[in-house]
Amino acid sequence: MDRQSRPETMRENDVIDLLTQQHVLIRELFDEVDRSQGEQRKEAFSRLVRLLAVHETAEEEIVHPYARRKLVGGDAIVDNRLQEEEEAKEMLSRLDDMDVTTAEFSQELERLRAAVFAHAAAEERYEFSELKASTSEAERKAMAVGVKAAEAMAPTHPHPGVESATANILLGTPVAIMDRARDLIRKAMGKSESGEG
């Protein structure tokens, strides 16, 4: 995978373009998990889990609050996306506990794929397009800063020499990864836990 298609080195500076490109990477990772077997499948699935966890956290922390404030009917749009995300997180957690070589894993992965693809399509149609029309380029660039900070911790392909540096951040359940991503996003966006910033 080249530099342009790794989340932390993407040239997109508009949060909508960045997240839409992430949807493409997520689709590619689902395909890679499908094609792989054994340890390779486990490793590909691990990268998919990290990317989904970080991607959804970035949307929850950055995009959804903006959409609530900026869009007509923003609360309803965001509430629908959050419900879809919650269902996907539950599936992801179940998958995370399964053996990747089983038929049950493959069936659950297909259910997750369908849910994630439907969610991405709804986001792009109902949230992203409206948000792009309702925000300035400067606002979207500012939102991209936080997304890039979080997504740098979820490489979609192994990077030689950085495995140990990212290992501690990337260990744990999808929920733990989301918590760490949330902290990184808030730091990048100049927010602190105590409300300072």
Side-chain angles (χ1 to χ4, degrees):
M1 190 170 258
D2 66 22
R3 236 179 110 70
Q4 171 60 12
S5 57
R6 292 200 321 245
E8 67 277 23
T9 56
M10 285 182 174
R11 292 186 189 97
E12 284 85 353
N13 289 314
D14 182 303
V15 71
I16 304 303
D17 295 340
L18 184 63
L19 292 173
T20 302
Q21 181 61 33
Q22 287 298 300
H23 288 167
V24 172
L25 291 176
I26 288 165
R27 287 181 189 97
E28 289 173 1
L29 273 172
F30 269 108
D31 290 344
E32 186 177 337
V33 174
D34 267 351
R35 289 191 306 267
S36 305
Q37 294 181 354
E39 279 303 308
Q40 285 184 323
R41 188 174 210 200
K42 190 174 183 178
E43 195 274 329
F45 178 67
S46 179
R47 284 185 278 120
L48 176 63
V49 168
R50 290 192 304 260
L51 183 56
L52 283 171
V54 171
H55 178 81
E56 293 306 327
T57 302
E59 290 175 343
E60 288 171 19
E61 287 289 311
I62 299 167
V63 177
H64 296 335
Y66 249 79
R68 281 191 192 280
R69 290 193 307 271
K70 293 278 187 174
L71 303 184
V72 175
D75 284 333
I77 291 169
V78 170
D79 289 344
N80 288 335
R81 301 301 72 80
L82 289 173
Q83 183 179 352
E84 294 162 1
E85 288 168 15
E86 192 55 40
E87 291 167 7
K89 284 179 196 174
E90 289 170 15
M91 284 187 254
L92 198 56
S93 289
R94 281 195 304 275
L95 278 163
D96 198 45
D97 292 333
M98 290 182 184
D99 178 346
V100 300
T101 64
T102 65
E104 183 185 17
F105 175 87
S106 295
Q107 291 166 353
E108 189 70 15
L109 184 69
E110 280 310 305
R111 282 194 285 278
L112 177 65
R113 180 199 301 258
V116 167
F117 288 10
H119 169 70
E123 263 180 349
E124 290 173 15
R125 180 176 180 185
Y126 299 112
E127 189 172 15
F128 292 1
S129 63
E130 293 297 315
L131 200 57
K132 194 156 195 160
S134 303
T135 55
S136 69
E137 184 178 334
E139 286 172 304
R140 292 190 307 276
K141 281 184 177 186
M143 287 187 274
V145 170
V147 173
K148 282 186 173 191
E151 291 186 345
M153 72 178 257
T156 55
H157 278 67
H159 302 187
V162 298
E163 295 88 351
S164 60
T166 57
N168 290 336
I169 291 175
L170 298 175
L171 290 175
T173 65
V175 172
I177 295 168
M178 288 175 193
D179 287 342
R180 288 189 288 277
R182 191 169 288 112
D183 291 342
L184 282 174
I185 291 166
R186 289 177 179 173
K187 185 176 181 181
M189 301 299 286
K191 299 174 185 174
S192 69
E193 306 264 341
S194 63
E196 298 167 10

